[in-house]
Amino acid sequence: MIRLEIAGIPVAQGRPRASVVAGHAHVYDPANARDYKRQVRYAAQQQLGDQKPLQGPLRLSVEFYRDIPRSWSRKRQLQANSGLLRPTSKPDLDNYVKAVKDALNGVCWLDDSQVVEYGPTGKFYSDKPRIVVTVEQVSQGAPSENSIFTEEENP
């Protein structure tokens, strides 16, 4: 199992940008997403040291902790910090996850296609913006009991 805590404001994967130079199209990440992925990758490498990437099927859980808006009342800020209020505004959760999966390729796993299952994953508020990533190996076959899907929901 790998558990990482990476400080900083989470950034979602943005839409790819394209430019045409000398008749050739070039597709690239927006600068903020590219920089964030580098930051996540570097922090993960520092925390993991010489640990090799996991192999086989994996379960990924990610908690995204965003800043609490300063404009909110003290009461609302306390509710947000305790988990009673959760972010329902953009960016979407799946775009946050995509950025983290891309950043951790070759660090936590060989390729993000190894992620076959998601564990508890969500957006939260906190006075300490960060992401918490947990990666676990899962056995082949039926969904594990820790899966967020029940057997009835799986095909």
Side-chain angles (χ1 to χ4, degrees):
M1 181 174 92
I2 293 175
R3 185 176 188 288
L4 305 169
E5 187 164 328
I6 302 169
I9 298 169
V11 175
Q13 175 65 45
R15 295 202 180 273
R17 305 289 185 227
S19 64
V20 178
V21 178
H24 297 285
H26 174 70
V27 180
Y28 58 94
D29 275 342
N32 65 337
R34 182 187 64 235
D35 294 345
Y36 181 69
K37 287 192 248 185
R38 284 184 186 150
Q39 174 191 345
V40 169
R41 182 179 192 80
Y42 178 77
Q45 289 170 330
Q46 294 302 305
Q47 290 181 43
L48 294 174
D50 292 335
Q51 184 174 339
K52 299 279 188 240
L54 297 175
Q55 295 187 20
L58 303 173
R59 176 185 316 111
L60 174 65
S61 302
V62 191
E63 298 169 4
F64 298 92
Y65 293 91
R66 296 172 38 175
D67 271 330
I68 299 170
R70 301 284 179 229
S71 61
W72 284 4
S73 68
R74 180 82 175 131
K75 178 181 176 183
R76 197 166 180 200
Q77 287 183 23
L78 289 172
Q79 289 174 327
N81 208 26
S82 67
L84 295 174
L85 292 177
R86 304 268 300 268
T88 57
S89 59
K90 291 188 181 264
D92 298 347
L93 180 61
D94 54 333
N95 292 330
Y96 276 134
V97 172
K98 178 66 176 146
V100 170
K101 284 176 66 179
D102 286 351
L104 297 179
N105 266 342
V107 178
C108 290
W109 46 70
L110 299 174
D111 187 80
D112 58 7
S113 64
Q114 291 174 250
V115 176
V116 298
E117 189 174 296
Y118 289 110
T121 297
K123 299 189 299 186
F124 304 90
Y125 286 116
S126 176
D127 289 332
K128 183 180 159 190
R130 66 196 182 283
I131 62 171
V132 177
V133 178
T134 306
V135 184
E136 301 171 272
Q137 292 181 303
V138 296
S139 59
Q140 297 281 6
S144 71
E145 63 187 49
N146 292 331
S147 172
I148 60 171
F149 299 106
T150 63
E151 289 186 40
E152 295 83 39
E153 294 171 320
N154 281 305

